[in-house]
Amino acid sequence: MSFLAIEHLTKSYGSNQVVQRFDLDVKAGEFVTFLGPSGCGKTTTLRMIAGFETATSGAIRIAGRDVTHLPPNARDVGMVFQNYALFPNMTAAGNVAFGLKVAKKRAADIKARVAEMLDLVKLPGLADRYPYQMSGGQQQRVALARALATSPKLLLLDEPLSALDAKVRVALRDELKALQRDLGITTVFVTHDQEEALSMSDRIVVMSEGRIEQLGTPFEIYNRPRTRFVASFIGTLNIIEAKVVDARAGAIRIGGQDARVGRQVSVADGADCTVALRPEAVSLQDPGDGCNRIGGTIQDVSFLGAVVRIKVGVGQARIMLDRFNSPGLPPPSPGERVTLHFSPDDLVPLDAA
Amino acid sequence: MKRPRFGAWLAFAVGVAYFAIPLIGTVEFSLRIRRGTYSLDAYGNVLSDPAFWNTFGFSASAAVATIVAGTLLVVPTAYWIRLRLPGLRPYVEFITLMPLIIPAIVLVFGYLRLYNSSSWLPMTGAPWSTDVLMVAGYVVLALPYLYRAVDTGMRSIDVRSLTEAAESLGAARSTILFRVIFPNVRTAVLSGAFLTFAIVIGEFTLASLLDRPAFGPYLQLVGANRAYEPSALAFIAFAVTWACMGLIQLFARDPAARSVKV
């Protein structure tokens, strides 16, 4: 039984459809991320769940209750915004207490709950600070405490980490995820940052131009991207043009050399197709039987510290590969002939874009 | 570096002289009610005149009423326009500027035609309803200042996301307006309020034509009948204005900023 159910959700501004037939079921306690470039409709979808935008058609149900036409203040969702949106005239404690006061809780209960929430976000000493006296990270923690204080059914996070600097972002990311897991609160997170999406989510919804491109676990999305868009949006990837020799057997030619794909190719024999290959799946050493072997010439070597990224020309194609840096093994130099090894399973045929 | 500095000081000196000399002249004249010696008698005459206190009290009450009515009109309007109807902003700005273009005399003649004692709504029939009419007129006169101040105040806070944050916490519109929006534009409302106060205290046209015992007509009456007292009154009016400015400065400081714990 899904906790948050979204059915055929559509949003149009005039003739411009920004969200097209969005369907999603989120289980209770799940952490789902909407990932996509700006303008892909992820924030609009989140705002429809929150009630700030009205759906053109479709339905949204939270815990079995149809909320599609309810105002935001009747939906029982907590929201955290990119720009914190703390009330500047209230202290941290005042901000956290706001929702409880609106709900007309008893003063003693409010006080206890506020202290509990500030403890939860690790800011017990800052109850009397005003928003402008706090750092961005602290403000966003207060905003999180404020959103959670009323024990909402659903937590919505609209790029909550985007305005923070890199170090705070990573620390808060891990904390946010831990907190979400401990509280078991169903969460929808919106981001354009694939690293955030991959590291925090139970499932990721990759969106582009108002449509869902792919829905799956981070592992699935990263290793088995279904479309060219998903493949190129998530992580670094080799996109290789190849020619199909035998679709049923998964035989293709890359730069004039034979290779095998671990799955069937849905393109006719003799046609062009596109395959994706993660740089970390390619090796210069021979791992043994069953792998593809393709010869090429090293064109470029970039030393990135922990990894060495090597670009190899194979006919017209160019394949990037990552190798861990090892002090005993100096990076190869451009012009060298090398053989690339990779498993047929790592070659992912992509649907035509 | 010497020359531009000299020029700047010259400009400053000219500016100061432009404002200060007439004022000093006025004060000096107001002290000369007795032949051959300076005295504060003119001020004494003004301050001991019960009409001064009555009219000043009347105008001050009218100013407070104007501020309350104007704020209750302008803050929700500016809020709603920022939040939901941004397309109407230029029109509302234009409308609020109208009182600067259309003189008060036109406004009051319109009122007298519409609301005279033989009209469908005889507002001028009784003193209290005339007062209501006058305050309504003052709200119109104060609109350009009040609306601009409040709108600027709203620009400095993110009205939309504060509203959305409050909404998602379960707050209703009135709660958002009075607990979130009002406190955050308090400074702007106050500066608009003190400008309003200064306008209403010295206002003559509306009060005079509606025949209300306000401070403006009293100033005119004294000016027409006495020699030294008008100068004293003018200086007192200046002092009141300055006090208003001082109050703006005082209240404009954020209470949050004052309670900083270091």
Side-chain angles (χ1 to χ4, degrees):
Chain A
M1 168 74 195
S2 64
F3 188 77
L4 165 67
I6 302 173
E7 285 165 17
H8 305 332
L9 193 66
T10 304
K11 177 72 185 177
S12 320
Y13 293 112
S15 61
N16 185 17
Q17 278 210 330
V18 289
V19 177
Q20 304 172 23
R21 281 185 72 86
F22 190 98
D23 286 282
L24 180 69
D25 283 318
V26 181
K27 290 195 290 288
E30 206 177 4
F31 192 116
V32 171
T33 299
F34 296 172
L35 174 67
S38 50
C40 73
K42 57 187 193 299
T43 296
T44 310
T45 308
L46 189 82
R47 290 174 58 82
M48 282 194 280
I49 300 173
F52 302 136
E53 306 279 349
T54 47
T56 308
S57 67
I60 300 166
R61 267 192 291 280
I62 300 173
R65 187 171 63 135
D66 189 336
V67 299
T68 319
H69 302 290
L70 287 182
N73 55 11
R75 292 195 181 200
D76 200 8
V77 297
M79 179 122 176
V80 177
F81 300 83
Q82 181 175 358
N83 59 357
Y84 324 134
L86 291 181
F87 307 126
N89 57 315
M90 299 178 202
T91 59
N95 269 281
V96 177
F98 185 85
L100 301 166
K101 281 187 185 153
V102 167
K104 302 213 163 36
K105 292 274 195 311
R106 288 192 306 132
D109 294 346
I110 293 178
K111 210 175 161 211
R113 182 72 175 157
V114 167
E116 183 192 341
M117 294 320 293
L118 288 175
D119 264 353
L120 193 68
V121 296
K122 302 195 174 92
L123 293 175
L126 302 186
D128 296 327
R129 293 272 184 94
Y130 282 90
Y132 71 94
Q133 296 168 315
M134 291 186 279
S135 70
Q138 290 170 335
Q139 289 189 52
Q140 198 58 298
R141 280 158 197 264
V142 174
L144 183 64
R146 180 179 69 175
L148 290 171
T150 50
S151 311
K153 291 200 179 73
L154 189 65
L155 180 62
L156 304 176
L157 307 168
D158 185 9
E159 307 220 13
L161 307 173
S162 304
L164 304 171
D165 53 56
K167 214 165 186 173
V168 180
R169 196 184 310 155
V170 174
L172 197 55
R173 181 176 87 192
D174 298 343
E175 256 177 69
L176 188 62
K177 177 60 192 163
L179 203 65
Q180 187 270 336
R181 205 185 298 118
D182 292 348
L183 296 175
I185 185 168
T186 314
T187 303
V188 180
F189 179 76
V190 160
T191 186
H192 60 259
D193 185 316
Q194 42 129 340
E195 199 182 308
E196 277 173 16
L198 291 171
S199 64
M200 297 171 81
S201 322
D202 294 321
R203 281 194 298 161
I204 297 175
V205 180
V206 184
M207 295 181 69
S208 165
E209 292 170 2
R211 281 175 295 108
I212 296 183
E213 286 278 327
Q214 192 172 353
L215 170 62
T217 64
F219 186 82
E220 286 166 1
I221 298 273
Y222 187 82
N223 290 306
R224 298 276 174 270
R226 202 175 297 144
T227 64
R228 198 184 178 122
F229 173 83
V230 177
S232 59
F233 190 74
I234 303 206
T236 319
L237 197 76
N238 289 300
I239 304 243
I240 307 162
E241 301 301 332
K243 228 175 186 61
V244 179
V245 178
D246 184 347
R248 192 176 293 252
I252 59 170
R253 285 176 81 79
I254 296 171
Q257 302 180 54
D258 286 322
R260 277 190 310 109
V261 181
R263 281 172 283 178
Q264 279 196 7
V265 184
S266 58
V267 183
D269 293 357
D272 290 330
C273 75
T274 309
V275 289
L277 181 62
R278 293 277 173 208
E280 65 267 30
V282 184
S283 163
L284 293 178
Q285 276 88 45
D286 196 334
D289 287 342
C291 72
N292 288 306
R293 292 184 181 77
I294 282 180
T297 312
I298 292 182
Q299 290 180 337
D300 188 29
V301 178
S302 350
F303 186 68
L304 304 176
V307 295
V308 181
R309 178 157 293 172
I310 301 165
K311 289 187 183 129
V312 179
V314 178
Q316 294 298 312
R318 231 151 90 101
I319 298 177
M320 235 181 334
L321 71 109
D322 285 351
R323 203 195 71 191
F324 282 114
N325 172 46
S326 149
L329 187 67
S333 42
E336 263 181 60
R337 291 283 303 171
V338 288
T339 307
L340 305 176
H341 307 82
F342 49 90
S343 157
D345 289 333
D346 288 329
L347 264 188
V348 182
L350 301 175
D351 295 349
Chain B
M1 290 305 282
K2 269 267 186 285
R3 288 196 71 85
R5 212 145 169 204
F6 173 75
W9 278 109
L10 185 70
F12 180 68
V14 169
V16 167
Y18 187 85
F19 286 107
I21 289 173
L23 191 63
I24 293 167
T26 305
V27 172
E28 200 266 350
F29 183 73
S30 74
L31 299 174
R32 276 170 39 182
I33 193 164
R34 287 192 199 183
R35 192 174 294 274
T37 172
Y38 285 141
S39 77
L40 290 171
D41 286 6
Y43 292 87
N45 291 346
V46 167
L47 294 176
S48 63
D49 182 358
F52 168 81
W53 293 105
N54 289 339
T55 57
F56 191 81
F58 178 85
S59 280
S61 321
V64 171
T66 305
I67 288 165
V68 171
T71 306
L72 287 177
L73 176 72
V74 163
V75 174
T77 307
Y79 169 63
W80 201 246
I81 283 168
R82 283 227 158 245
L83 193 65
R84 288 274 185 273
L85 307 164
L88 282 185
R89 236 163 70 87
Y91 302 101
V92 172
E93 280 203 353
F94 179 73
I95 290 169
T96 61
L97 280 176
M98 295 292 274
L100 291 183
I101 304 158
I102 298 172
I105 188 89
V106 175
L107 184 74
V108 73
F109 263 105
Y111 281 179
L112 287 173
R113 281 197 71 93
L114 264 178
Y115 302 115
N116 63 52
S117 44
S118 58
S119 72
W120 59 281
L121 185 61
M123 293 283 281
T124 55
W128 71 267
S129 58
T130 314
D131 288 347
V132 171
L133 190 62
M134 184 182 72
V135 167
Y138 285 165
V139 170
V140 172
L141 293 187
L143 265 185
Y145 310 97
L146 215 46
Y147 183 82
R148 218 139 302 270
V150 169
D151 196 50
T152 309
M154 293 216 180
R155 192 174 305 155
S156 69
I157 58 171
D158 189 343
V159 170
R160 177 173 286 265
S161 50
L162 289 187
T163 301
E164 288 178 351
E167 273 182 321
S168 73
L169 291 167
R173 283 263 172 258
S174 56
T175 314
I176 298 173
L177 200 54
F178 287 99
R179 298 268 301 279
V180 177
I181 301 301
F182 252 110
N184 284 308
V185 294
R186 207 182 98 265
T187 312
V189 169
L190 274 174
S191 64
F194 286 114
L195 281 171
T196 306
F197 190 88
I199 293 167
V200 172
I201 279 294
E203 208 283 331
F204 172 77
T205 318
L206 244 67
S208 170
L209 285 164
L210 291 173
D211 194 26
R212 300 310 302 145
F215 192 55
Y218 172 75
L219 278 178
Q220 190 273 337
L221 188 75
V222 172
N225 297 307
R226 305 283 191 86
Y228 296 96
E229 283 82 351
S231 301
L233 258 181
F235 184 68
I236 290 171
F238 258 108
V240 169
T241 313
W242 285 339
C244 281
M245 300 289 190
L247 284 176
I248 293 178
Q249 293 294 324
L250 201 66
F251 281 95
R253 261 184 264 152
D254 212 315
R258 270 184 277 168
S259 61
V260 175
K261 290 182 185 111
V262 185

PDB file of all heavy atoms in Angstrom, chain B residues 217-244:
ATOM      1  N   PRO B 217      -5.865  74.669  10.428  1.00  0.00           N
ATOM      2  CA  PRO B 217      -6.648  75.911  10.424  1.00  0.00           C
ATOM      3  C   PRO B 217      -6.270  76.834  11.587  1.00  0.00           C
ATOM      4  O   PRO B 217      -6.279  78.052  11.435  1.00  0.00           O
ATOM      5  CB  PRO B 217      -8.086  75.408  10.570  1.00  0.00           C
ATOM      6  CG  PRO B 217      -8.073  74.038  10.000  1.00  0.00           C
ATOM      7  CD  PRO B 217      -6.734  73.489  10.351  1.00  0.00           C
ATOM      8  N   TYR B 218      -5.913  76.251  12.745  1.00  0.00           N
ATOM      9  CA  TYR B 218      -5.501  77.071  13.887  1.00  0.00           C
ATOM     10  C   TYR B 218      -4.220  77.837  13.552  1.00  0.00           C
ATOM     11  O   TYR B 218      -4.115  79.034  13.836  1.00  0.00           O
ATOM     12  CB  TYR B 218      -5.304  76.180  15.119  1.00  0.00           C
ATOM     13  CG  TYR B 218      -4.697  76.888  16.301  1.00  0.00           C
ATOM     14  CD1 TYR B 218      -5.455  77.770  17.077  1.00  0.00           C
ATOM     15  CD2 TYR B 218      -3.360  76.693  16.637  1.00  0.00           C
ATOM     16  CE1 TYR B 218      -4.892  78.425  18.157  1.00  0.00           C
ATOM     17  CE2 TYR B 218      -2.789  77.340  17.715  1.00  0.00           C
ATOM     18  CZ  TYR B 218      -3.567  78.221  18.478  1.00  0.00           C
ATOM     19  OH  TYR B 218      -2.996  78.871  19.535  1.00  0.00           O
ATOM     20  N   LEU B 219      -3.279  77.144  12.912  1.00  0.00           N
ATOM     21  CA  LEU B 219      -2.036  77.801  12.484  1.00  0.00           C
ATOM     22  C   LEU B 219      -2.365  78.993  11.596  1.00  0.00           C
ATOM     23  O   LEU B 219      -1.809  80.092  11.760  1.00  0.00           O
ATOM     24  CB  LEU B 219      -1.172  76.823  11.667  1.00  0.00           C
ATOM     25  CG  LEU B 219      -0.285  75.820  12.385  1.00  0.00           C
ATOM     26  CD1 LEU B 219       0.431  74.947  11.358  1.00  0.00           C
ATOM     27  CD2 LEU B 219       0.743  76.544  13.252  1.00  0.00           C
ATOM     28  N   GLN B 220      -3.294  78.767  10.672  1.00  0.00           N
ATOM     29  CA  GLN B 220      -3.657  79.810   9.715  1.00  0.00           C
ATOM     30  C   GLN B 220      -4.291  80.989  10.443  1.00  0.00           C
ATOM     31  O   GLN B 220      -3.978  82.147  10.190  1.00  0.00           O
ATOM     32  CB  GLN B 220      -4.610  79.218   8.662  1.00  0.00           C
ATOM     33  CG  GLN B 220      -4.893  80.114   7.483  1.00  0.00           C
ATOM     34  CD  GLN B 220      -6.051  81.057   7.752  1.00  0.00           C
ATOM     35  OE1 GLN B 220      -6.897  80.786   8.600  1.00  0.00           O
ATOM     36  NE2 GLN B 220      -6.063  82.183   7.058  1.00  0.00           N
ATOM     37  N   LEU B 221      -5.178  80.655  11.410  1.00  0.00           N
ATOM     38  CA  LEU B 221      -5.890  81.693  12.164  1.00  0.00           C
ATOM     39  C   LEU B 221      -4.910  82.563  12.937  1.00  0.00           C
ATOM     40  O   LEU B 221      -4.955  83.798  12.874  1.00  0.00           O
ATOM     41  CB  LEU B 221      -6.869  81.014  13.125  1.00  0.00           C
ATOM     42  CG  LEU B 221      -7.821  81.935  13.862  1.00  0.00           C
ATOM     43  CD1 LEU B 221      -8.915  82.408  12.915  1.00  0.00           C
ATOM     44  CD2 LEU B 221      -8.423  81.234  15.084  1.00  0.00           C
ATOM     45  N   VAL B 222      -3.994  81.922  13.629  1.00  0.00           N
ATOM     46  CA  VAL B 222      -3.003  82.662  14.410  1.00  0.00           C
ATOM     47  C   VAL B 222      -2.127  83.490  13.473  1.00  0.00           C
ATOM     48  O   VAL B 222      -1.824  84.656  13.747  1.00  0.00           O
ATOM     49  CB  VAL B 222      -2.149  81.699  15.246  1.00  0.00           C
ATOM     50  CG1 VAL B 222      -0.997  82.431  15.907  1.00  0.00           C
ATOM     51  CG2 VAL B 222      -3.013  81.011  16.294  1.00  0.00           C
ATOM     52  N   GLY B 223      -1.752  82.873  12.347  1.00  0.00           N
ATOM     53  CA  GLY B 223      -0.898  83.566  11.389  1.00  0.00           C
ATOM     54  C   GLY B 223      -1.547  84.829  10.861  1.00  0.00           C
ATOM     55  O   GLY B 223      -0.871  85.822  10.590  1.00  0.00           O
ATOM     56  N   ALA B 224      -2.863  84.782  10.719  1.00  0.00           N
ATOM     57  CA  ALA B 224      -3.549  85.928  10.139  1.00  0.00           C
ATOM     58  C   ALA B 224      -3.771  87.037  11.158  1.00  0.00           C
ATOM     59  O   ALA B 224      -3.983  88.196  10.790  1.00  0.00           O
ATOM     60  CB  ALA B 224      -4.889  85.473   9.553  1.00  0.00           C
ATOM     61  N   ASN B 225      -3.744  86.711  12.468  1.00  0.00           N
ATOM     62  CA  ASN B 225      -4.153  87.690  13.474  1.00  0.00           C
ATOM     63  C   ASN B 225      -3.068  88.159  14.414  1.00  0.00           C
ATOM     64  O   ASN B 225      -3.265  89.119  15.140  1.00  0.00           O
ATOM     65  CB  ASN B 225      -5.317  87.114  14.298  1.00  0.00           C
ATOM     66  CG  ASN B 225      -6.518  86.875  13.435  1.00  0.00           C
ATOM     67  OD1 ASN B 225      -6.974  87.769  12.734  1.00  0.00           O
ATOM     68  ND2 ASN B 225      -7.015  85.641  13.449  1.00  0.00           N
ATOM     69  N   ARG B 226      -1.950  87.461  14.468  1.00  0.00           N
ATOM     70  CA  ARG B 226      -0.901  87.846  15.419  1.00  0.00           C
ATOM     71  C   ARG B 226       0.384  88.114  14.648  1.00  0.00           C
ATOM     72  O   ARG B 226       0.526  87.712  13.500  1.00  0.00           O
ATOM     73  CB  ARG B 226      -0.650  86.728  16.434  1.00  0.00           C
ATOM     74  CG  ARG B 226      -1.872  86.260  17.179  1.00  0.00           C
ATOM     75  CD  ARG B 226      -2.251  87.257  18.283  1.00  0.00           C
ATOM     76  NE  ARG B 226      -3.273  86.683  19.159  1.00  0.00           N
ATOM     77  CZ  ARG B 226      -2.977  85.917  20.211  1.00  0.00           C
ATOM     78  NH1 ARG B 226      -1.721  85.631  20.494  1.00  0.00           N
ATOM     79  NH2 ARG B 226      -3.944  85.440  20.956  1.00  0.00           N
ATOM     80  N   ALA B 227       1.333  88.727  15.324  1.00  0.00           N
ATOM     81  CA  ALA B 227       2.588  89.059  14.668  1.00  0.00           C
ATOM     82  C   ALA B 227       3.691  88.062  15.021  1.00  0.00           C
ATOM     83  O   ALA B 227       4.297  87.449  14.146  1.00  0.00           O
ATOM     84  CB  ALA B 227       3.026  90.464  15.063  1.00  0.00           C
ATOM     85  N   TYR B 228       3.940  87.899  16.339  1.00  0.00           N
ATOM     86  CA  TYR B 228       5.104  87.102  16.768  1.00  0.00           C
ATOM     87  C   TYR B 228       4.763  85.631  16.992  1.00  0.00           C
ATOM     88  O   TYR B 228       5.589  84.749  16.769  1.00  0.00           O
ATOM     89  CB  TYR B 228       5.683  87.699  18.058  1.00  0.00           C
ATOM     90  CG  TYR B 228       6.221  89.087  17.818  1.00  0.00           C
ATOM     91  CD1 TYR B 228       5.441  90.215  18.091  1.00  0.00           C
ATOM     92  CD2 TYR B 228       7.505  89.265  17.297  1.00  0.00           C
ATOM     93  CE1 TYR B 228       5.924  91.478  17.852  1.00  0.00           C
ATOM     94  CE2 TYR B 228       7.989  90.535  17.055  1.00  0.00           C
ATOM     95  CZ  TYR B 228       7.200  91.650  17.335  1.00  0.00           C
ATOM     96  OH  TYR B 228       7.675  92.877  17.093  1.00  0.00           O
ATOM     97  N   GLU B 229       3.531  85.369  17.424  1.00  0.00           N
ATOM     98  CA  GLU B 229       3.149  83.996  17.747  1.00  0.00           C
ATOM     99  C   GLU B 229       3.263  83.037  16.552  1.00  0.00           C
ATOM    100  O   GLU B 229       3.668  81.885  16.739  1.00  0.00           O
ATOM    101  CB  GLU B 229       1.729  83.942  18.327  1.00  0.00           C
ATOM    102  CG  GLU B 229       1.643  84.381  19.766  1.00  0.00           C
ATOM    103  CD  GLU B 229       1.584  85.899  19.926  1.00  0.00           C
ATOM    104  OE1 GLU B 229       1.777  86.603  18.910  1.00  0.00           O
ATOM    105  OE2 GLU B 229       1.353  86.371  21.038  1.00  0.00           O
ATOM    106  N   PRO B 230       2.908  83.480  15.334  1.00  0.00           N
ATOM    107  CA  PRO B 230       3.052  82.549  14.204  1.00  0.00           C
ATOM    108  C   PRO B 230       4.467  82.016  14.051  1.00  0.00           C
ATOM    109  O   PRO B 230       4.664  80.839  13.744  1.00  0.00           O
ATOM    110  CB  PRO B 230       2.652  83.384  12.989  1.00  0.00           C
ATOM    111  CG  PRO B 230       1.787  84.439  13.532  1.00  0.00           C
ATOM    112  CD  PRO B 230       2.286  84.735  14.910  1.00  0.00           C
ATOM    113  N   SER B 231       5.469  82.857  14.281  1.00  0.00           N
ATOM    114  CA  SER B 231       6.853  82.394  14.176  1.00  0.00           C
ATOM    115  C   SER B 231       7.134  81.338  15.234  1.00  0.00           C
ATOM    116  O   SER B 231       7.775  80.318  14.965  1.00  0.00           O
ATOM    117  CB  SER B 231       7.823  83.561  14.345  1.00  0.00           C
ATOM    118  OG  SER B 231       7.561  84.510  13.349  1.00  0.00           O
ATOM    119  N   ALA B 232       6.633  81.597  16.447  1.00  0.00           N
ATOM    120  CA  ALA B 232       6.817  80.623  17.528  1.00  0.00           C
ATOM    121  C   ALA B 232       6.142  79.321  17.151  1.00  0.00           C
ATOM    122  O   ALA B 232       6.706  78.230  17.305  1.00  0.00           O
ATOM    123  CB  ALA B 232       6.239  81.175  18.834  1.00  0.00           C
ATOM    124  N   LEU B 233       4.915  79.422  16.615  1.00  0.00           N
ATOM    125  CA  LEU B 233       4.175  78.231  16.204  1.00  0.00           C
ATOM    126  C   LEU B 233       4.916  77.458  15.114  1.00  0.00           C
ATOM    127  O   LEU B 233       4.995  76.232  15.154  1.00  0.00           O
ATOM    128  CB  LEU B 233       2.801  78.647  15.666  1.00  0.00           C
ATOM    129  CG  LEU B 233       1.623  78.465  16.601  1.00  0.00           C
ATOM    130  CD1 LEU B 233       0.354  78.908  15.895  1.00  0.00           C
ATOM    131  CD2 LEU B 233       1.492  77.015  17.035  1.00  0.00           C
ATOM    132  N   ALA B 234       5.454  78.229  14.156  1.00  0.00           N
ATOM    133  CA  ALA B 234       6.188  77.586  13.059  1.00  0.00           C
ATOM    134  C   ALA B 234       7.346  76.783  13.612  1.00  0.00           C
ATOM    135  O   ALA B 234       7.604  75.647  13.193  1.00  0.00           O
ATOM    136  CB  ALA B 234       6.701  78.642  12.079  1.00  0.00           C
ATOM    137  N   PHE B 235       8.035  77.373  14.593  1.00  0.00           N
ATOM    138  CA  PHE B 235       9.173  76.659  15.157  1.00  0.00           C
ATOM    139  C   PHE B 235       8.712  75.430  15.932  1.00  0.00           C
ATOM    140  O   PHE B 235       9.342  74.370  15.867  1.00  0.00           O
ATOM    141  CB  PHE B 235       9.991  77.593  16.061  1.00  0.00           C
ATOM    142  CG  PHE B 235      11.226  76.914  16.576  1.00  0.00           C
ATOM    143  CD1 PHE B 235      12.257  76.586  15.707  1.00  0.00           C
ATOM    144  CD2 PHE B 235      11.336  76.567  17.921  1.00  0.00           C
ATOM    145  CE1 PHE B 235      13.374  75.933  16.160  1.00  0.00           C
ATOM    146  CE2 PHE B 235      12.462  75.902  18.375  1.00  0.00           C
ATOM    147  CZ  PHE B 235      13.493  75.590  17.495  1.00  0.00           C
ATOM    148  N   ILE B 236       7.579  75.560  16.648  1.00  0.00           N
ATOM    149  CA  ILE B 236       7.046  74.406  17.383  1.00  0.00           C
ATOM    150  C   ILE B 236       6.686  73.291  16.394  1.00  0.00           C
ATOM    151  O   ILE B 236       6.979  72.111  16.625  1.00  0.00           O
ATOM    152  CB  ILE B 236       5.821  74.814  18.222  1.00  0.00           C
ATOM    153  CG1 ILE B 236       6.274  75.702  19.388  1.00  0.00           C
ATOM    154  CG2 ILE B 236       5.094  73.586  18.765  1.00  0.00           C
ATOM    155  CD1 ILE B 236       5.136  76.344  20.148  1.00  0.00           C
ATOM    156  N   ALA B 237       6.075  73.695  15.250  1.00  0.00           N
ATOM    157  CA  ALA B 237       5.718  72.693  14.235  1.00  0.00           C
ATOM    158  C   ALA B 237       6.966  71.974  13.727  1.00  0.00           C
ATOM    159  O   ALA B 237       6.969  70.758  13.538  1.00  0.00           O
ATOM    160  CB  ALA B 237       4.985  73.364  13.080  1.00  0.00           C
ATOM    161  N   PHE B 238       8.043  72.755  13.523  1.00  0.00           N
ATOM    162  CA  PHE B 238       9.316  72.153  13.110  1.00  0.00           C
ATOM    163  C   PHE B 238       9.801  71.146  14.143  1.00  0.00           C
ATOM    164  O   PHE B 238      10.217  70.031  13.807  1.00  0.00           O
ATOM    165  CB  PHE B 238      10.392  73.254  12.962  1.00  0.00           C
ATOM    166  CG  PHE B 238      10.638  73.615  11.541  1.00  0.00           C
ATOM    167  CD1 PHE B 238      10.192  74.829  11.043  1.00  0.00           C
ATOM    168  CD2 PHE B 238      11.323  72.756  10.689  1.00  0.00           C
ATOM    169  CE1 PHE B 238      10.404  75.175   9.725  1.00  0.00           C
ATOM    170  CE2 PHE B 238      11.544  73.100   9.375  1.00  0.00           C
ATOM    171  CZ  PHE B 238      11.087  74.314   8.894  1.00  0.00           C
ATOM    172  N   ALA B 239       9.723  71.559  15.397  1.00  0.00           N
ATOM    173  CA  ALA B 239      10.207  70.687  16.474  1.00  0.00           C
ATOM    174  C   ALA B 239       9.422  69.378  16.483  1.00  0.00           C
ATOM    175  O   ALA B 239       9.992  68.300  16.660  1.00  0.00           O
ATOM    176  CB  ALA B 239      10.087  71.399  17.823  1.00  0.00           C
ATOM    177  N   VAL B 240       8.080  69.501  16.252  1.00  0.00           N
ATOM    178  CA  VAL B 240       7.259  68.283  16.229  1.00  0.00           C
ATOM    179  C   VAL B 240       7.723  67.366  15.100  1.00  0.00           C
ATOM    180  O   VAL B 240       7.881  66.150  15.270  1.00  0.00           O
ATOM    181  CB  VAL B 240       5.764  68.652  16.071  1.00  0.00           C
ATOM    182  CG1 VAL B 240       4.937  67.408  15.770  1.00  0.00           C
ATOM    183  CG2 VAL B 240       5.258  69.341  17.332  1.00  0.00           C
ATOM    184  N   THR B 241       7.980  67.967  13.933  1.00  0.00           N
ATOM    185  CA  THR B 241       8.438  67.176  12.793  1.00  0.00           C
ATOM    186  C   THR B 241       9.751  66.471  13.115  1.00  0.00           C
ATOM    187  O   THR B 241       9.935  65.287  12.815  1.00  0.00           O
ATOM    188  CB  THR B 241       8.636  68.086  11.570  1.00  0.00           C
ATOM    189  OG1 THR B 241       7.492  68.922  11.457  1.00  0.00           O
ATOM    190  CG2 THR B 241       8.790  67.266  10.306  1.00  0.00           C
ATOM    191  N   TRP B 242      10.655  67.237  13.726  1.00  0.00           N
ATOM    192  CA  TRP B 242      11.954  66.620  14.070  1.00  0.00           C
ATOM    193  C   TRP B 242      11.772  65.489  15.055  1.00  0.00           C
ATOM    194  O   TRP B 242      12.438  64.465  14.959  1.00  0.00           O
ATOM    195  CB  TRP B 242      12.887  67.691  14.669  1.00  0.00           C
ATOM    196  CG  TRP B 242      13.424  68.617  13.641  1.00  0.00           C
ATOM    197  CD1 TRP B 242      13.503  68.387  12.302  1.00  0.00           C
ATOM    198  CD2 TRP B 242      13.926  69.923  13.863  1.00  0.00           C
ATOM    199  NE1 TRP B 242      14.031  69.470  11.668  1.00  0.00           N
ATOM    200  CE2 TRP B 242      14.311  70.443  12.597  1.00  0.00           C
ATOM    201  CE3 TRP B 242      14.101  70.722  14.992  1.00  0.00           C
ATOM    202  CZ2 TRP B 242      14.859  71.713  12.446  1.00  0.00           C
ATOM    203  CZ3 TRP B 242      14.654  71.979  14.842  1.00  0.00           C
ATOM    204  CH2 TRP B 242      15.031  72.470  13.572  1.00  0.00           C
ATOM    205  N   ALA B 243      10.878  65.696  16.002  1.00  0.00           N
ATOM    206  CA  ALA B 243      10.625  64.635  16.978  1.00  0.00           C
ATOM    207  C   ALA B 243      10.141  63.383  16.258  1.00  0.00           C
ATOM    208  O   ALA B 243      10.546  62.264  16.586  1.00  0.00           O
ATOM    209  CB  ALA B 243       9.590  65.098  18.003  1.00  0.00           C
ATOM    210  N   CYS B 244       9.304  63.602  15.224  1.00  0.00           N
ATOM    211  CA  CYS B 244       8.815  62.465  14.427  1.00  0.00           C
ATOM    212  C   CYS B 244       9.983  61.727  13.786  1.00  0.00           C
ATOM    213  O   CYS B 244      10.063  60.501  13.818  1.00  0.00           O
ATOM    214  CB  CYS B 244       7.870  62.938  13.333  1.00  0.00           C
ATOM    215  SG  CYS B 244       6.234  63.292  13.936  1.00  0.00           S
TER     216      CYS B 244
END
